[in-house]
Amino acid sequence: MNMLSRVAERLFWMARYLERTEDTARLIHSYAHLVMDIPRGSEPGWDILVHILNTEPSYNEHYRAYNELNVMKFLIAQPDNVSGILSSVRAARENVRTTRDVLPSEVWEHVNELYLYAQEYSEKSVGRRYRYQFLETIIARCQMINGILVSTLPRGHAYRFIKLGRLLERADMTSRVVDVGAAALLGEERLHSSVDPLIWASLLNSLSAMGAYQREIGPQVEAGAMVDFVLREGTLPRSIKFCLNGIRQELSPLNNNKEAIRLVLKARRKLSAFDPQTCSREELHIFLDQFQVLLTKLYSAIDQTWFMTAERRATATLS
Amino acid sequence: MNKSWKNYRADAFYDELIAASGAPRVAARRVVKLLQSLPEEEMASRRAAAELAIREMGVSFTIYSEGKNIDRAWPFDIIPRVISARDWAKVSLGLAQRSRALNCFIDDIYNQQKILADGIVPAETVLDSSNYKPQCAGVSPLHGAWAHICGTDLVRDQRGKFFVLEDNLRVPSGISYMLENREITKRVLPELLENYSIQPVDDYPSRLHATLSSLSPREQRRPCIVVLTPGIYNSAYFEHAFLAQRMGAELVEGNDLFVDDDDCVYMRTVDGPIRVDVVYRRIDDDFLDPECFRSDSTLGVPGIMRAWKAGNVAIANAPGAGVADDKVVYAYVPAMIRYYLNEKPLLASVKTYLCMNPKDRAYVLANLDKLVVKPANESGGYGLLIGSASSAAERAKFASLIEENPRNYIAQPILSLSTAPTYIDELVEPRHLDLRPFILQGKDTWVTPGGLTRVAMRKGSLVVNSSQGGGSKDTWIVEDNR
């Protein structure tokens, strides 16, 4: 089956935005859940969510204080926040709207319903009363869409670029959750370290890795073991290693895949050489930073090789 | 009978479902009976279900208004329009006949021009028209087919007789709505379809695929077919995507395609360039090829006309086919049928006054209040004057437009369009409607059973275009087993 470069690009981004929607919802969900467990005064603050999503400049345009209501509004219902739920859902829908001819028709129907749902309820779900239900529904709907894709889409190019988009976004999100989580928790200035295990557990939850961690490692969540687990446990679907393996697998049947594969292999080597159990918080941060740069390069390689048409390349060099 | 139907009266018009006696027509008897027996809340809840289905299926059309593109849900009336298979069989033959004659005409015009030489159609009406594309002269597409997909608008007069209102030969749209309308009826009024034998419509995409395949310049088991769309902001984008998906064809935009040095058309894919055999284009001639038509077009494909003329790619509808989609040429279609096919026209045309003829013009100018005046080559119901509903100032404006450019205007008597019961707010009321069947012309000719029924939702209105507040109905061709 043929796959237009333009369509491949839109499918890739549809998957990235769907993944971003689900990941952001998970992150807010587990963090908000956690905050209820922590005594007043010890909570690490709502700004951590904005830092994880790396959207401080956009946040500061709209809000001053980092309180619960502002942050929730920004992440759930702000139409122009590109990592927020509402705008991610809208972007996913736009990409499906222009590629629905290559997808099973239920995909369009469900993405459209997801959009209509987010459109109608996001504003009302900023407060604690309805937020939980809203996030659960968003996550469930994303999972349903992924389920349809996995169970109905033939394993051709369409599926391949969707999977590439999903895994790249997921690897990116996982590395950010770890990086910012570590920064906030391993900082010297905080005193209430008794709640730290709770926060680590919450981050594990946001990567839906808590159950797996308990079975594999044990009930006590420790920083080093937890980081190692979400970075390098190859069987865990949200671990970085799992994502890289999946990307490698989808790249291999494509034409002209040399550069992209080179970058994936490089990322994999770096990951195996790194030991989260013994590193300092500074080393972890530097590692994750370099790792993010690699992911960005990998995206450019995919973009240049399979998405960028001759015209776009010409106009890009002109401007 | 539920209250919504109580005061239903079709007045002086032909009503599609209810006879003058007030009893349902034979073919519609069971539909009407069932709908009348539904409690009022049930009618309302079915309508709500239809609206929900439309939203979920994402059936939409885009209108351009106030500088913004707005995606509107498709307006749908839940009461189907029912036509008996016997009536339809005659109409269908007439449509096929008409399509054959029109294709002969286009092929003749771009080649020998016999019909002009024989004085059947005045040469200047054709050759001076902006729809005549000299760039197409000398091309002979496969099977002599130019207008591969034709959407012909039909209306019925007060006696129920069908008339052709116009033939849309450029890029007619509406077929996806016809298919979705049936889908919606099946979802929300399933019991209506019980015990009825209704001709199915959903094989249209495979018929279209077969027609397009028959145009392929290469002998191949599976020719490469693409649907060329102007993009997401086009009002019919939904339909372009719909048809591409149902046919298993690629939906492409202009910059997905390019013409190489070998004068063949290719599409850019993740595996590299792939040669294209048939382009079902949904963009107008003027935007098709900046090398040949409008040089500022960014929607088209530079060089595609070169590839077409070299016989390396088929374009449907063929460039230049619009020469027969002109309200002046319309007046000559019965003559064409006699000339090319040596047959009697099976479908009536509406009496048409050509303002370029002095006698007709004088009549039109004297009777503006009794006529509909239309520009010769506009579509979408824009720029027309409905005499009976016009002000003196509007009539004066049209009088001077006609004097200025008589070739560009025609006039027709105001038809009493037929009506059908339509569910408006809480009541079922008569609304005017038309019908757009689609005729496919490739190696074979094929006519859709029924078509897209468009209905003017405003009371008394005759304008059915969706861009101007029109709605639509599912259209049933049923076997009348009395």
Side-chain angles (χ1 to χ4, degrees):
Chain A
M1 201 47 207
N2 304 322
M3 168 67 43
L4 293 172
S5 298
R6 178 179 50 81
V7 173
E9 181 171 13
R10 289 181 183 168
L11 291 175
F12 176 88
W13 279 104
M14 167 201 79
R16 283 199 82 153
Y17 281 118
L18 277 178
E19 182 68 25
R20 192 173 295 177
T21 303
E22 185 185 337
D23 292 351
T24 305
R26 275 176 188 291
L27 186 65
I28 303 171
H29 186 270
S30 62
Y31 194 77
H33 205 66
L34 155 86
V35 165
M36 294 186 228
D37 277 343
I38 298 184
R40 273 184 82 83
S42 326
E43 62 268 52
W46 291 94
D47 55 333
I48 185 172
L49 295 179
V50 178
H51 299 319
I52 288 179
L53 298 169
N54 201 13
T55 53
E56 295 90 338
S58 165
Y59 186 87
N60 293 328
E61 273 173 36
H62 295 284
Y63 307 98
R64 288 171 58 195
Y66 282 97
N67 59 36
E68 177 172 357
L69 204 64
N70 284 354
V71 170
M72 287 299 108
K73 224 178 185 165
F74 181 69
L75 295 182
I76 291 176
Q78 189 81 39
D80 58 350
N81 170 18
V82 291
S83 17
I85 289 177
L86 184 60
S87 84
S88 296
V89 167
R90 181 181 303 147
R93 178 191 185 251
E94 275 312 291
N95 281 295
V96 183
R97 202 156 96 90
T98 48
T99 50
R100 52 192 287 191
D101 52 309
V102 300
L103 293 173
S105 52
E106 308 97 294
V107 173
W108 161 251
E109 289 193 23
H110 286 288
V111 172
N112 197 38
E113 279 178 46
L114 169 66
Y115 165 76
L116 295 171
Y117 176 80
Q119 182 96 323
E120 185 165 353
Y121 292 102
S122 59
E123 192 70 39
K124 295 172 204 151
S125 308
V126 168
R128 287 192 180 186
R129 171 72 179 83
Y130 297 108
R131 189 198 298 152
Y132 185 81
Q133 195 196 348
F134 175 80
L135 295 171
E136 295 257 293
T137 308
I138 291 284
I139 293 167
R141 284 178 182 267
C142 287
Q143 287 177 325
M144 181 165 62
I145 293 162
N146 273 330
I148 296 170
L149 291 169
V150 167
S151 59
T152 62
L153 199 58
R155 273 19 178 194
H157 284 322
Y159 186 80
R160 181 158 299 124
F161 283 97
I162 286 173
K163 192 167 156 193
L164 286 173
R166 181 197 302 143
L167 292 178
L168 202 61
E169 181 72 22
R170 188 180 287 176
D172 182 55
M173 187 64 130
T174 299
S175 71
R176 280 192 280 164
V177 166
V178 173
D179 191 20
V180 179
L185 295 173
L186 305 178
E188 307 299 317
E189 69 276 14
R190 287 186 61 261
L191 296 171
H192 298 272
S193 61
S194 63
V195 299
D196 285 1
L198 285 178
I199 299 176
W200 283 119
S202 154
L203 294 180
L204 266 181
N205 260 326
S206 76
L207 301 171
S208 45
M210 190 60 194
Y213 180 92
Q214 285 165 332
R215 279 189 299 278
E216 290 286 319
I217 318 252
Q220 186 63 31
V221 183
E222 279 178 287
M226 177 269 179
V227 172
D228 198 3
F229 191 64
V230 300
L231 293 189
R232 306 202 297 178
E233 177 49 56
T235 59
L236 180 72
R238 280 171 197 277
S239 78
I240 289 183
K241 183 159 183 194
F242 183 94
C243 295
L244 292 177
N245 288 346
I247 291 172
R248 168 77 182 80
Q249 190 192 340
E250 293 308 327
L251 288 176
S252 59
L254 286 166
N255 288 343
N256 309 316
N257 58 7
K258 248 197 184 132
E259 175 63 8
I261 287 196
R262 186 185 70 81
L263 289 163
V264 179
L265 294 180
K266 188 172 169 192
R268 266 208 319 210
R269 276 197 310 276
K270 280 191 85 94
L271 189 65
S272 340
F274 179 72
D275 185 0
Q277 307 262 19
T278 60
C279 73
S280 71
R281 121 115 193 91
E282 200 51 38
E283 286 166 332
L284 176 62
H285 175 69
I286 292 169
F287 169 76
L288 290 170
D289 213 42
Q290 290 172 343
F291 194 80
Q292 292 252 328
V293 172
L294 256 181
L295 288 183
T296 308
K297 280 191 183 157
L298 178 56
Y299 165 68
S300 318
I302 292 173
D303 182 48
Q304 302 272 343
T305 313
W306 294 291
F307 301 160
M308 237 187 173
T309 62
E311 267 95 325
R312 279 181 50 201
R313 208 169 289 146
T315 41
T317 44
L318 279 177
S319 58
Chain B
M1 189 194 297
N2 77 44
K3 263 211 313 253
S4 350
W5 286 80
K6 274 274 157 54
N7 301 309
Y8 190 84
R9 282 190 44 139
D11 294 328
F13 305 102
Y14 179 85
D15 193 90
E16 301 279 338
L17 301 193
I18 310 286
S21 64
R25 294 188 187 281
V26 175
R29 200 174 283 157
R30 251 167 306 161
V31 169
V32 173
K33 227 169 121 185
L34 195 136
L35 287 172
Q36 288 182 338
S37 71
L38 284 181
E40 283 148 67
E41 326 71 85
E42 196 59 21
M43 284 286 281
S45 90
R46 301 301 174 98
R47 175 169 55 197
E51 280 162 11
L52 185 68
I54 289 166
R55 258 160 59 96
E56 285 178 1
M57 287 153 74
V59 187
S60 64
F61 68 104
T62 313
I63 54 170
Y64 186 79
S65 165
E66 293 154 6
K68 275 203 310 207
N69 281 292
I70 304 164
D71 215 20
R72 288 249 180 110
W74 176 245
F76 172 76
D77 181 64
I78 56 171
I79 306 173
R81 176 213 203 144
V82 183
I83 300 172
S84 80
R86 189 177 325 169
D87 288 350
W88 183 251
K90 287 182 231 152
V91 176
S92 178
L93 284 175
L95 289 167
Q97 176 194 55
R98 209 173 156 92
S99 163
R100 281 198 305 275
L102 286 165
N103 277 288
C104 291
F105 173 73
I106 305 168
D107 204 44
D108 187 18
I109 291 300
Y110 287 115
N111 290 283
Q112 292 96 334
Q113 302 191 340
K114 283 190 306 214
I115 198 166
L116 305 183
D118 289 342
I120 310 290
V121 179
E124 68 279 7
T125 46
V126 177
L127 304 179
D128 295 347
S129 157
S130 59
N131 293 323
Y132 172 73
K133 305 291 179 196
Q135 297 91 331
C136 302
V139 181
S140 299
L142 267 184
H143 319 299
W146 291 68
H148 310 99
I149 298 100
C150 170
T152 293
D153 291 344
L154 299 175
V155 294
R156 298 176 89 167
D157 70 358
Q158 61 272 57
R159 301 212 320 279
K161 182 178 176 186
F162 280 96
F163 284 83
V164 174
L165 200 57
E166 61 185 49
D167 306 286
N168 297 283
L169 305 177
R170 285 174 275 196
V171 285
S173 62
I175 192 73
S176 60
Y177 302 119
M178 173 184 103
L179 303 180
E180 294 289 43
N181 285 353
R182 177 65 51 85
E183 189 59 37
I184 298 164
T185 309
K186 285 182 188 170
R187 283 199 197 189
V188 306
L189 281 162
E191 64 270 53
L192 223 51
L193 290 96
E194 252 171 62
N195 308 318
Y196 250 119
S197 113
I198 306 164
Q199 296 184 4
V201 290
D202 33 334
D203 60 341
Y204 180 83
S206 62
R207 299 283 183 167
L208 177 61
H209 189 270
T211 302
L212 295 174
S213 299
S214 78
L215 310 176
S216 171
R218 285 192 295 178
E219 294 274 340
Q220 256 191 316
R221 211 166 54 84
R222 266 199 79 168
C224 177
I225 298 174
V226 300
V227 179
L228 175 59
T229 173
I232 185 102
Y233 296 112
N234 184 269
S235 61
Y237 180 81
F238 166 80
E239 174 159 305
H240 308 160
F242 179 94
L243 290 174
Q245 181 173 38
R246 293 291 184 91
M247 286 195 293
E250 295 297 333
L251 180 67
V252 302
E253 295 173 15
N255 59 17
D256 291 324
L257 301 181
F258 67 97
V259 178
D260 216 338
D261 297 335
D262 58 0
D263 283 355
C264 291
V265 179
Y266 294 89
M267 60 180 176
R268 302 173 212 276
T269 77
V270 295
D271 297 315
I274 290 180
R275 182 167 162 195
V276 173
D277 297 299
V278 183
V279 178
Y280 176 29
R281 52 90 178 219
R282 296 295 297 259
I283 65 181
D284 286 333
D285 283 356
D286 286 346
F287 297 94
L288 194 55
D289 184 350
E291 280 182 11
C292 201
F293 300 109
R294 281 179 62 157
S295 59
D296 60 342
S297 168
T298 54
L299 302 174
V301 185
I304 195 170
M305 284 294 284
R306 234 188 312 131
W308 179 62
K309 286 186 184 175
N312 292 333
V313 72
I315 302 179
N317 288 350
V323 69
D325 180 352
D326 178 298
K327 294 189 176 65
V328 176
V329 171
Y330 164 89
Y332 295 99
V333 176
M336 282 173 207
I337 294 173
R338 290 189 198 95
Y339 181 78
Y340 293 114
L341 310 178
N342 199 18
E343 291 174 13
K344 220 173 119 240
L346 300 171
L347 267 177
S349 299
V350 183
K351 168 82 187 145
T352 301
Y353 301 93
L354 304 176
C355 295
M356 61 186 195
N357 297 340
K359 231 178 89 189
D360 283 8
R361 181 160 70 245
Y363 176 82
V364 170
L365 291 172
N367 292 281
L368 276 176
D369 57 331
K370 298 187 199 72
L371 298 168
V372 186
V373 182
K374 300 175 179 177
N377 52 26
E378 283 286 334
S379 60
Y382 290 104
L384 51 81
L385 175 87
I386 298 175
S388 55
S390 64
S391 65
E394 284 169 319
R395 288 197 294 274
K397 192 183 117 204
F398 266 79
S400 64
L401 285 172
I402 291 170
E403 304 265 24
E404 253 166 59
N405 189 358
R407 163 65 183 81
N408 201 31
Y409 289 92
I410 61 114
Q412 293 170 337
I414 298 171
L415 295 173
S416 343
L417 294 196
S418 61
T419 59
T422 304
Y423 189 38
I424 307 280
D425 300 327
E426 266 100 64
L427 290 178
V428 176
E429 295 183 1
R431 287 292 184 269
H432 292 294
L433 35 73
D434 78 352
L435 178 62
R436 176 178 287 184
F438 291 82
I439 303 103
L440 299 180
Q441 185 76 56
K443 196 158 139 273
D444 306 303
T445 312
W446 186 76
V447 181
T448 52
L452 175 66
T453 290
R454 300 184 300 175
V455 42
M457 302 297 266
R458 273 194 298 269
K459 191 173 190 142
S461 170
L462 298 172
V463 182
V464 296
N465 304 77
S466 52
S467 51
Q468 300 193 38
S472 74
K473 282 171 168 289
D474 188 12
T475 309
W476 294 6
I477 305 301
V478 306
E479 311 292 340
D480 33 11
N481 37 1
R482 322 199 156 216

